[in-house]
Amino acid sequence: MHVLVKGAGVAGLTVAWQLHRHGFRVSVAEQADEVGAGASGFAGGMLAPWCERESADEPVLALGRLAADWWEAALPGHVNRRGTLVVAAGRDAGELDRFCRRTSGWEWLDEPAIATLEPDLAGRFRRALFFRQEAHLDPRQALSGLAAGLEEARMRLTFGVRGDADLAPYDRVIDCTGAAQIGRLPGLRGVRGEMLCVETKEVSLSRPVRLLHPRHPIYIVPRQRNRFMIGATMIESNDIGPITARSLMELLNAAYTLNPAFGEARVTETGAGVRPAYPDNLPRVTQEGRTFHVNGLYRHGFLLAPAMAGEVARLLLGKDKHSERKAS
């Protein structure tokens, strides 16, 4: 079976990789000129199903808890299994209690334990929640790694595809074009997320840190070469324009609260992306003729894409088996 995957974001590349592992012949077509040009390129890359349960329904935990294993199997060495640290400023200490009531898989840390785990946060927070089982990866490196693996396996990746591709050569089409389907798929909406990257040698973190706040909680994810990704807002909007001044100030203020040394960091990048979401904020695989749509990953792209890719593979394998039984 020859399958066309439309879209080379996290949904499209994980679907292509999963189908390749099951022996399908796969081609990938992307409108942009490079991998991860949409919202996937602005993601935090946190594989944090227990933390996400604070604001998400149970399926996010159930579907996402094996994501780190999937990514490690696909891209050995890309997954950092160092957990997630959740903190709050003194005036917002009650947010930690609320967070722990809505989640599981955590342990309380006191001030000395925080300092042992993250020395550059020593003396800044009296207590924290530590989600030991969680992990993170660099989204852009992960997407590039999947694309390179597919190309090494002689799968065709085509970029700069404008307009509709010729579908005649393909037995099935998997549409993973995300926000491009807003207004076309019933119920799909856009949720804008904004981020920035900074560079500093004055702060070192080993794992993602979430700073709770009643109005604008943020996370800071360490990257290579003394860089940090700071995100992310959630705004009900389809606007793909540059980051707003308000969001920029809130993200920088939060980073300064975490450690004042971030005040001297260099801002190396800002960005915004529109994340597609259904009314229940859970992803879906839907069918329209011979086309399957994988969409609605919301803020859980890297966390839930492996589960959605597995669902697509099961559906196509089931179709194959049905066709064989019918033919015989």
Side-chain angles (χ1 to χ4, degrees), residues 116-130:
T116 299
L117 201 66
E118 294 289 359
D120 281 4
L121 300 184
R124 302 208 53 79
F125 304 97
R126 302 191 61 170
R127 57 180 186 151
L129 292 168
F130 182 42

Side-chain angles (χ1 to χ4, degrees), residues 244-296:
T244 65
R246 178 187 295 275
S247 295
L248 184 63
M249 289 187 293
E250 289 180 348
L251 293 174
L252 289 173
N253 285 337
Y256 185 85
T257 298
L258 192 71
N259 189 314
F262 276 116
E264 301 300 322
R266 295 182 177 181
V267 177
T268 59
E269 179 184 357
T270 64
V274 174
R275 298 167 291 192
Y278 285 110
D280 59 1
N281 293 332
L282 295 174
R284 302 177 188 175
V285 179
T286 57
Q287 185 175 0
E288 183 181 10
R290 59 172 170 160
T291 297
F292 291 84
H293 294 274
V294 180
N295 217 313

Side-chain angles (χ1 to χ4, degrees), residues 208-225:
V209 178
R210 296 183 180 230
L211 178 65
L212 302 183
H213 185 278
R215 288 187 296 108
H216 42 80
I218 65 101
Y219 54 77
I220 298 181
V221 186
R223 300 281 193 246
Q224 294 179 344
R225 300 186 298 275

Side-chain angles (χ1 to χ4, degrees), residues 180-238:
Q181 294 300 310
I182 294 173
R184 301 176 185 176
L185 293 180
L188 197 67
R189 74 188 198 280
V191 181
R192 174 180 165 92
E194 298 160 309
M195 54 77 74
L196 62 91
C197 292
V198 300
E199 180 180 330
T200 177
K201 295 181 179 180
E202 303 304 315
V203 182
S204 177
L205 297 174
S206 299
R207 55 191 50 77
V209 178
R210 296 183 180 230
L211 178 65
L212 302 183
H213 185 278
R215 288 187 296 108
H216 42 80
I218 65 101
Y219 54 77
I220 298 181
V221 186
R223 300 281 193 246
Q224 294 179 344
R225 300 186 298 275
N226 306 308
R227 294 187 176 184
F228 301 84
M229 183 271 196
I230 307 172
T233 57
M234 289 187 295
I235 303 168
E236 296 286 333
S237 171
N238 295 336

